[in-house]
């Protein structure tokens, strides 16, 4: 099935929720107004709908293949990647100094969503390249930046993230890959990395591996990890390609989903040592990796929204076409398209409300990121950064978890045909499942939310968020409409539930860590759902204003309906979640270890 990019909803989120026009008044973002956004999104939609989306099912049927050290990607991927690079899409949000277009994340997020809706498997290669670019921008030496960034930003070379080893997944303190210092300042790298996305492929001339390793004699644990660039082909000073480095792909995995994206086992140093160049200071690798991970975690949340959107579009199309059973209200004399059945409408509305809520949350988070970089006032920058960092685990954790719910509902709407592979609905669910696992499982995001994002600042960012939500409640309470009242009725107890959980976490984390961490994923889900519902409440206020001015009636009426649905069917769950976190902590750990 084709993909139709939801440009209108994206522009609505950017304009009305993320405040793109105000953003474009900040220093350095003058070219990033609504007109630019519209032009970029329309072009991006054309490219993804026409070039990438048709490859998605093919990637599932004909995954990447491993042949004698080489990886051959799905037919069509290499050509599409050339077009992606030539179109300048890799450089959208990267600095103009290195050949990028310098657009804010608020616009880049929409482009990222389209690419991922078109094909998650394809989009992973640029996504990881973005991570490598971020790390080099933050900590690369000037020489490293000059050598690598223009090539990565142009899409001539691609990047990878090499964290995982057989014994080191969520726990990177166990990384064993070794780096031996050489007289010329470089290092020899030895070790095995597993699960490396696009660790080998035929899409670009070179692959720049960003590798976590331990310098000989470094301390144990995370304090002894450094970050290295290990290029597949060693570049000469002028950027031309030289010798093959001693890093080799020994196999790729067979997977549940994202089958076109090669997941490589990489062997470093079997033939004397791979040449690596340290990025940043020795033993500070994990901090740098976190920079890459933060960028990648945000992008993964976008992946969740993207695959959910594609699943939704397919389900709607099927629900219009499939004729089965007479409507219960007798509105049609005989069997009708299943879209007429209230339960099918409930499923489709749930899918749509989750997607729109998550998109609104993610774009608003992107705006916090952009403000954290562009606001002239240091205190404002700090505030926006704190909010952005609080939102990253919610975007990653919540948007990816809901992608499973949405993709599963998508299959349900199809009935038996959804379970049959050739229909294509099943691929979305299989593809989506990885999103709650890589770049840190949902539990790891939740640990981040509790530890780094709630406890570390004594709940300051969480309270700031709650204040902003309360301000929206005040706006809602001034509105006479039934929809505004209905949303307020659920948003307020949802926000209060969030505040009570935050206080519980702050109060009990030391005394009862098990109780707090047993509720950490529910806390993440509560917070994510609240922020998404809040953004939809803001959408409702805007939509009612636009309706009063008789502007774009059908779109605005749908926004009001979606916001109300979200409040009455999803926000309504939050007080229950609060109860299970705060009052159900004992039973969460009621089964003794021996009982399993
Ligand atoms: C298709 C694919 C692509 C990948 N791409 C990359 C890549 O490009 N680069 C890379 O470096 N890695 C990559 N990975 C690895 C991925 O990031 C890890 O699989 C992931 O971080 C989880 O680690 P693990 O598999 O070792 O699971 P484990 O760490 O063994 O986790 C198993 C379970 O225990 C839970 N758990 C573990 N620790 C905790 C804790 N502290 N608190 C609560 N629960 C916990 C987890 O949530 C999970 O449910 C990829 C993996 C896959 C499958």
């Amino acid at each position: 099935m084709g993909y139709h990019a939801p440009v209108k909803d994206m522009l609505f989120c950017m304009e009305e929720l993320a405040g793109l026009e105000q953003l474009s008044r900040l220093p350095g973002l003058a070219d990033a107004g609504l007109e630019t956004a519209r032009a970029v999104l329309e072009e991006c939609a054309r490219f993804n709908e026409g070039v990438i989306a048709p490859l998605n099912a093919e990637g599932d049927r004909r995954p990447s293949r491993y042949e004698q050290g080489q990886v051959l990607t799905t037919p069509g991927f290499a050509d599409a990647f050339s077009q992606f690079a030539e179109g300048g899409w890799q450089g959208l949000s990267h600095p103009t100094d290195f050949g990028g277009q310098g657009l804010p994340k608020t616009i880049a997020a929409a482009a990222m969503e389209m690419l991922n809706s078109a094909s998650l498997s394809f989009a992973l290669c640029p996504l990881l390249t973005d991570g490598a670019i971020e790390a080099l921008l933050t900590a690369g030496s000037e020489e490293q930046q000059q050598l690598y960034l223009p090539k990565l930003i142009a899409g001539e070379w691609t990047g990878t993230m090499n964290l995982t080893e057989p014994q080191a997944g969520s726990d990177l303190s166990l990384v064993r890959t070794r780096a031996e210092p050489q007289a010329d300042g470089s290092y020899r790298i030895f070790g095995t990395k597993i699960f490396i996305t696009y660790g080998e492929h035929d899409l670009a001339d070179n692959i720049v591996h960003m590798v976590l390793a331990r310098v000989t004699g470094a301390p144990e644990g995370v304090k002894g990890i450094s970050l290295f660039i290990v290029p597949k082909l060693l570049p000469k000073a002028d950027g031309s390609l030289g010798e093959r480095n001693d890093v080799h792909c020994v196999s790729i995995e067979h997977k549940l989903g994202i089958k076109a994206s090669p997941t490589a086992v990489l062997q470093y140093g079997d033939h004397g040592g791979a040449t690596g160049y340290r990025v940043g200071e020795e033993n500070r690798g994990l901090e740098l990796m976190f920079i890459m991970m933060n960028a990648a975690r945000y992008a993964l949340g976008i992946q969740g929204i993207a695959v959910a959107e594609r699943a939704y579009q397919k389900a709607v199309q099927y629900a219009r076409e499939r004729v089965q059973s007479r409507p219960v209200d007798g509105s049609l004399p005989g069997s009708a398209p299943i879209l007429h059945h209230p339960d099918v409408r409930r499923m489709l509305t749930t899918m749509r409300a989750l997607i729109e809520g998550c998109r609104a949350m993610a774009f608003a988070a992107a705006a916090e990121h952009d403000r954290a970089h562009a606001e002239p006032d240091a205190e404002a920058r700090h505030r926006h950064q704190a909010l952005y960092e609080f939102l990253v685990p919610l975007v990653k954790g919540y948007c990816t978890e809901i992608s499973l719910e949405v993709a599963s509902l998508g299959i349900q709407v199809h009935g038996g045909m959804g379970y049959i592979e050739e229909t294509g609905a099943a691929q979305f669910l299989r593809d989506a499942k990885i999103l709650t696992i890589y770049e840190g499982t949902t539990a790891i995001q939740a640990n981040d939310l509790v530890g780094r994002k709630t406890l570390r600042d004594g709940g300051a960012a969480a309270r700031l968020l709650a204040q902003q939500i309360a301000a929206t409640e005040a706006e809602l309470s001034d509105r006479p409409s039934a929809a505004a009242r209905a949303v307020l009725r659920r948003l307020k107890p949802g926000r209060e539930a969030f505040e009570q959980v935050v206080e519980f976490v702050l109060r009990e984390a030391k005394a009862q860590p098990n109780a707090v961490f047993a509720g950490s994923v529910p806390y993440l889900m509560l917070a994510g759902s609240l922020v998404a519902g809040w953004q939809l409440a803001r959408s409702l206020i805007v939509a009612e204003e636009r309706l009063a001015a008789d502007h774009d009636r059908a779109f605005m009426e749908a926004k009001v309906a979606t916001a109300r649905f979200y409040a009455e069917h999803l926000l309504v769950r939050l007080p229950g979640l609060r109860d299970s976190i705060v009052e159900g902590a004992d039973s969460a750990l009621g089964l003794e270890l021996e009982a399993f």
Side-chain angles (χ1 to χ4, degrees):
M1 189 215 63
Y3 160 65
H4 182 66
V7 173
K8 198 166 181 175
D9 194 48
M10 290 170 162
L11 287 171
F12 177 88
C13 291
M14 276 181 209
E15 183 179 4
E16 308 291 0
L17 306 177
L20 190 65
E21 281 301 289
Q22 293 93 303
L23 251 182
S24 67
R25 280 181 222 122
L26 293 174
L29 295 178
D31 297 335
L34 210 58
E35 280 320 302
T36 306
R38 184 168 288 119
V40 170
L41 265 56
E42 280 168 6
E43 187 54 35
C44 190
R46 253 194 304 280
F47 173 68
N48 286 298
E49 290 168 359
V51 178
I52 308 294
L55 295 171
N56 194 42
E58 188 63 3
D60 195 52
R61 278 191 291 267
R62 297 171 71 186
S64 288
R65 285 183 296 126
Y66 178 83
E67 268 179 24
Q68 294 162 349
Q70 313 276 320
V71 171
L72 309 169
T73 52
T74 301
F77 267 45
D79 178 50
F81 191 81
S82 304
Q83 294 186 50
F84 174 83
E86 276 157 26
W89 296 111
Q90 185 75 58
L92 214 55
S93 65
H94 297 304
T96 47
D97 293 354
F98 297 105
Q101 298 185 40
L103 290 177
K105 199 178 188 80
T106 310
I107 298 178
M112 202 189 288
E113 183 191 316
M114 289 186 204
L115 185 66
N116 278 287
S117 282
S119 168
L120 277 189
S121 278
F122 181 90
L124 272 163
C125 189
L127 189 157
L128 285 151
T129 303
D130 278 340
I133 292 169
E134 292 289 336
L136 287 168
L137 281 170
T138 313
S141 66
E142 204 187 321
E143 198 189 339
Q144 289 170 343
Q145 292 186 344
Q146 295 300 343
L147 185 56
Y148 293 98
L149 286 174
K151 300 279 190 194
L152 288 167
I153 286 173
E156 282 178 48
W157 300 350
T158 67
T160 67
M161 269 171 72
N162 285 236
L163 290 71
T164 308
E165 298 177 12
Q167 77 295 342
S170 301
D171 184 357
L172 294 171
S173 69
L174 302 175
V175 160
R176 275 196 215 133
T177 295
R178 205 167 91 241
E180 290 179 1
Q182 303 298 299
D184 65 355
S186 69
Y187 291 77
R188 297 255 144 213
I189 312 284
F190 301 89
T192 304
K193 293 286 179 183
I194 63 165
F195 293 161
I196 305 308
T197 299
Y198 279 96
E200 179 59 48
H201 60 77
D202 57 2
L203 303 183
D205 297 340
N206 200 8
I207 305 176
V208 181
H209 302 294
M210 304 299 285
V211 182
L212 282 189
R214 219 174 265 289
V215 176
T216 324
E220 291 290 298
V222 291
K223 294 209 167 75
I225 295 175
S226 307
L227 180 65
F228 298 88
I229 303 171
V230 186
K232 174 178 160 184
L233 293 162
L234 292 163
K236 299 181 189 149
D238 65 357
S240 62
L241 292 174
E243 269 173 61
R244 181 77 167 78
N245 206 354
D246 185 8
V247 44
H248 297 277
C249 173
V250 292
S251 62
I252 62 172
E253 309 294 344
H254 300 281
K255 307 191 294 290
L256 178 68
I258 56 160
K259 294 188 179 190
S261 150
T263 308
V265 177
L266 294 182
Q267 197 64 37
Y268 289 86
D270 271 7
H271 308 280
T275 301
Y277 308 99
R278 202 183 67 232
V279 182
E281 286 174 44
E282 210 170 276
N283 299 335
R284 302 286 290 275
L286 205 70
E287 280 164 52
L288 300 180
M289 204 46 115
F290 261 107
I291 294 165
M292 283 161 82
M293 282 202 283
N294 256 339
R297 285 176 175 180
Y298 177 85
L300 281 183
I302 297 285
Q303 289 198 303
I305 300 163
V307 70
E309 172 69 36
R310 189 101 191 245
Y312 168 71
Q313 290 189 13
K314 188 162 182 57
V316 169
Q317 188 195 15
Y318 190 78
R320 287 188 194 290
E321 289 165 2
R322 172 72 173 163
V323 172
Q324 205 71 191
S325 310
R326 191 164 169 263
V328 281
D329 64 358
S331 53
L332 288 174
S335 297
I338 58 169
L339 184 59
H340 287 259
H341 301 310
D343 188 60
V344 172
R345 278 168 69 178
R346 173 193 64 79
M347 289 194 279
L348 292 173
T349 314
T350 305
M351 295 167 82
R352 177 156 163 173
L354 285 169
I355 292 164
E356 290 186 8
C358 282
R359 180 179 295 126
M361 165 163 72
F363 284 28
E368 295 295 343
H369 171 278
D370 291 331
R371 291 202 164 86
H373 287 81
E375 284 282 354
D377 174 49
E379 202 274 319
R381 281 201 303 277
H382 178 76
R383 197 174 58 247
H384 290 298
Q385 183 65 26
L387 275 174
Y388 175 66
E389 289 188 6
F390 189 87
L391 292 171
V392 167
L394 308 190
V395 171
K396 163 45 163 119
Y398 185 66
C399 301
T400 62
E401 288 288 342
I402 70 97
S403 75
L404 292 173
E405 186 175 343
V406 171
S408 175
L409 283 170
I411 294 180
Q412 195 70 16
V413 169
H414 283 78
M417 283 309 287
Y419 203 71
I420 304 301
E421 284 293 0
E422 66 209 53
T423 311
Q427 185 191 346
F428 302 132
L429 182 60
R430 289 188 289 95
D431 282 355
K433 185 55 222 173
I434 189 59
L435 305 180
T436 63
I437 297 173
Y438 62 15
E439 287 299 337
T441 60
T442 308
I444 297 301
Q445 307 307 314
N447 289 353
D448 181 47
L449 177 66
V450 169
R452 280 191 207 85
K453 309 295 164 66
T454 307
L455 295 175
R456 191 138 90 183
D457 69 358
R463 290 194 191 107
L464 182 58
L465 195 64
Q467 273 169 20
Q468 296 188 352
I469 297 172
T472 302
E473 289 165 28
E475 281 184 62
L476 285 170
S477 67
D478 288 340
R479 306 193 72 80
S481 72
R485 277 204 308 280
V487 171
L488 178 60
R489 188 159 163 248
R490 303 300 172 184
L491 185 62
K492 185 168 182 292
R495 188 254 310 156
E496 287 166 352
F498 169 70
E499 287 173 319
Q500 287 155 11
V501 169
V502 169
E503 294 314 315
F504 167 77
V505 167
L506 292 168
R507 195 175 62 240
E508 302 297 339
K510 270 220 168 74
Q512 306 190 61
N514 279 349
V516 167
F517 282 92
S520 61
V521 169
Y523 167 33
L524 181 151
M525 296 302 283
L526 188 161
S529 183
L530 173 66
V531 175
W534 166 46
Q535 291 300 330
L536 287 184
R538 294 182 61 216
S539 307
L540 173 136
I541 294 171
V542 173
E544 286 192 345
E545 294 293 321
R546 298 288 175 275
L547 280 170
D550 208 21
H551 174 83
D552 207 351
R553 191 150 274 284
F555 180 83
M556 297 303 166
E557 278 172 354
K559 267 283 166 231
V560 171
T562 318
R564 182 170 181 170
F565 177 92
Y566 195 104
E568 295 188 329
H569 296 260
L570 299 160
L571 283 182
V572 72
R573 298 174 185 171
L574 302 195
L577 266 176
R578 182 259 332 272
D579 292 350
S580 72
I581 297 165
V582 176
E583 291 159 26
D586 287 345
S587 59
L589 297 166
L591 280 175
E592 296 299 331
L593 292 179
E594 301 73 39
F596 290 101

